[in-house]
Amino acid sequence: MSKNACIQCSIKECKHHCGTEDYCTLNQIKVGTHENHPTKIECTDCESFVFRA
Ligand code: SF4
């Protein structure tokens, strides 16, 4: 899979991760939150994440 140079990511556990470099391979991702009122970086999630089983 080729990297998308516009989306940096270090989550190697995700099946969409490039593997060789810290980039995502998707054309776009969706970012969301698991909080009602997000106030910190920890409140944000990549909702395109899929665990690399
Ligand atoms: S889908 Fe999200 S978590 Fe997975 S590699 Fe792309 S940016 Fe990273």
Side-chain angles (χ1 to χ4, degrees):
M1 290 191 290
S2 57
K3 72 179 185 184
N4 180 344
C6 295
I7 306 177
Q8 290 184 286
C9 180
S10 60
I11 313 301
K12 291 185 167 60
E13 291 80 3
C14 178
K15 78 181 244 188
H16 298 304
H17 189 269
C18 169
T20 52
E21 297 177 83
D22 277 347
Y23 288 94
C24 184
T25 57
L26 297 177
N27 291 328
Q28 63 177 18
I29 61 167
K30 181 181 179 190
V31 176
T33 183
H34 51 275
E35 303 283 350
N36 291 327
H37 302 288
T39 56
K40 296 178 293 188
I41 193 169
E42 292 86 352
C43 301
T44 66
D45 305 306
C46 176
E47 295 184 344
S48 301
F49 173 86
V50 177
F51 180 60
R52 183 191 298 275

